[in-house]
Amino acid sequence: MIEIDQLTKVYDGGVAVDNVSMTVETGTITVIVGTSGSGKTTLLRMINRLEEPTSGVVRMNGDLTNSMPKHILRRRVGYAIQGHGLFPHYTVARNIGTVPTLLGWPADKIRARVDELLELFSLDPTQFRDRFPTELSGGQQQRVGVARALASRPDLLLMDEPFGALDPIIRAKAQTDLRSIQRALGSTIMLVTHDMEEAIHLGDRVAVMDAGRLVQYGTPTEIIRYPETDFVSEMVGGLDRPLRLLSLSTVSDIVEDGPAEGEALDVGMNLRDALSQCLWTGRDDAPVIRDGTVIGRVTIDAIRARAEGRQ
């Protein structure tokens, strides 16, 4: 568990982060979202003391971070940034093994951990272990950067705009991969972004910052349905809010008994895509399948009810 208690940062009389308090549960993804200058990156950097707070404290699993030597703290906290920051003269394996090497892990344990992470990120160790960063695509470099941050099994992974440099298609895949890997490893992640779509897609909880203050902290559904300020309402997109809400639910949430004709929808499809499929084909309903077997149907009326918060 990460506890942020009244954290404040002042620069030359200006307040970059203003009395922020929040708790991040173990094994979750918390996304900090806000416009440029909102204080989100400064907040992240104070957690691993790349920036020292003016006041306030951070506790990691009950331990005060300001009482730890910085090198010990940073071994407990992985850090991944936009552009990945790989060492260009190191191979992929050496990049990923950087922190375990500093920690004195034996060579066979480091190699096993490198291969484990490469496989987890869908990078065949036999093909990628000995490559250099310049031989990788942007998406592959980003995956190696995250793998490096996870290599020593840190208590917390901090990510600052990790997907900002990727094109939209690779970015969407990277987000999905991160979510799957986080679930597989049970990692605790705090991620900064300016993109509310990314925050909603990735976050178990979303922290919205404005002018250094934490203006709302809740689940994606709470943020979309019940924005607490005009700024939050603008961030979640006004008229687009019902569609964002549909992207958080799947067909399995509203599947019902009954027949339907036409191409079937998978039970795991999100309701935003299900609505698009039905509208595109001019249907009021569609059959739903799980593992190739029809288990019921989904209707446009039920999807609309979910978008309006009536279901």
Side-chain angles (χ1 to χ4, degrees), residues 22-40:
M22 58 193 292
T23 298
V24 175
E25 298 294 337
T26 300
T28 63
I29 297 179
T30 293
V31 182
I32 305 168
V33 64
T35 55
S36 178
S38 62
K40 56 189 186 297

Side-chain angles (χ1 to χ4, degrees), residues 75-95:
R75 290 172 185 175
R76 294 181 60 178
V77 180
Y79 193 54
I81 60 175
Q82 179 176 320
H84 54 76
L86 298 178
F87 301 118
H89 55 292
Y90 283 11
T91 64
V92 165
R94 192 176 176 191
N95 264 288

Side-chain angles (χ1 to χ4, degrees), residues 23-292:
T23 298
V24 175
E25 298 294 337
T26 300
T28 63
I29 297 179
T30 293
V31 182
I32 305 168
V33 64
T35 55
S36 178
S38 62
K40 56 189 186 297
T41 291
T42 302
L43 175 63
L44 199 75
R45 288 170 62 86
M46 284 193 287
I47 293 170
N48 68 347
R49 295 175 61 199
L50 288 173
E51 299 276 358
E52 293 289 354
T54 304
S55 61
V57 296
V58 178
R59 297 180 185 86
M60 185 178 301
N61 298 328
D63 299 329
L64 284 168
T65 58
N66 63 5
S67 67
M68 302 178 199
K70 287 185 179 180
H71 69 283
I72 298 298
L73 172 63
R74 289 171 191 161
R75 290 172 185 175
R76 294 181 60 178
V77 180
Y79 193 54
I81 60 175
Q82 179 176 320
H84 54 76
L86 298 178
F87 301 118
H89 55 292
Y90 283 11
T91 64
V92 165
R94 192 176 176 191
N95 264 288
I96 295 174
T98 298
V99 175
T101 299
L102 291 173
L103 293 175
W105 287 21
D108 58 342
K109 184 179 178 182
I110 294 173
R111 183 180 178 87
R113 181 61 171 164
V114 167
D115 287 357
E116 175 191 4
L117 287 166
L118 285 173
E119 289 172 356
L120 196 60
F121 280 85
S122 301
L123 298 170
D124 183 347
T126 60
Q127 294 184 35
F128 288 93
R129 188 190 299 117
D130 298 323
R131 291 189 187 181
F132 288 88
T134 55
E135 300 175 280
L136 306 178
S137 69
Q140 289 167 345
Q141 289 177 11
Q142 193 65 52
R143 279 183 274 173
V144 172
V146 178
R148 182 179 63 183
L150 289 168
S152 63
R153 297 184 174 89
D155 295 334
L156 173 66
L157 174 60
L158 303 178
M159 307 184 77
D160 191 0
E161 298 277 6
F163 309 125
L166 303 180
D167 71 56
I169 294 175
I170 295 175
R171 181 173 182 161
K173 180 66 166 61
Q175 292 168 357
T176 301
D177 287 348
L178 178 67
R179 196 68 172 120
S180 298
I181 288 162
Q182 184 269 337
R183 286 172 176 160
L185 297 178
S187 305
T188 305
I189 296 175
M190 295 185 71
L191 183 148
V192 158
T193 183
H194 64 276
D195 184 346
M196 181 58 83
E197 194 80 34
E198 183 166 87
I200 289 168
H201 177 63
L202 281 175
D204 294 299
R205 290 176 70 83
V206 176
V208 185
M209 293 192 66
D210 181 28
R213 289 183 171 272
L214 179 64
V215 293
Q216 190 165 353
Y217 185 44
T219 66
T221 299
E222 290 167 346
I223 297 290
I224 294 170
R225 281 189 172 172
Y226 312 113
E228 295 180 1
T229 69
D230 290 342
F231 177 78
V232 178
S233 182
E234 184 178 342
M235 285 289 289
V236 296
L239 293 174
D240 289 337
R241 278 162 50 195
L243 291 177
R244 293 183 186 274
L245 195 61
L246 289 179
S247 70
L248 300 176
S249 301
T250 63
V251 169
S252 63
D253 295 327
I254 59 169
V255 65
E256 61 185 54
D257 293 332
E261 300 295 328
E263 183 180 352
L265 307 180
D266 187 83
V267 70
M269 177 181 288
N270 73 58
L271 292 181
R272 185 172 183 170
D273 290 343
L275 178 61
S276 295
Q277 290 268 18
C278 288
L279 292 175
W280 179 256
T281 55
R283 293 181 287 170
D284 293 325
D285 54 27
V288 175
I289 57 172
R290 177 186 286 120
D291 298 327

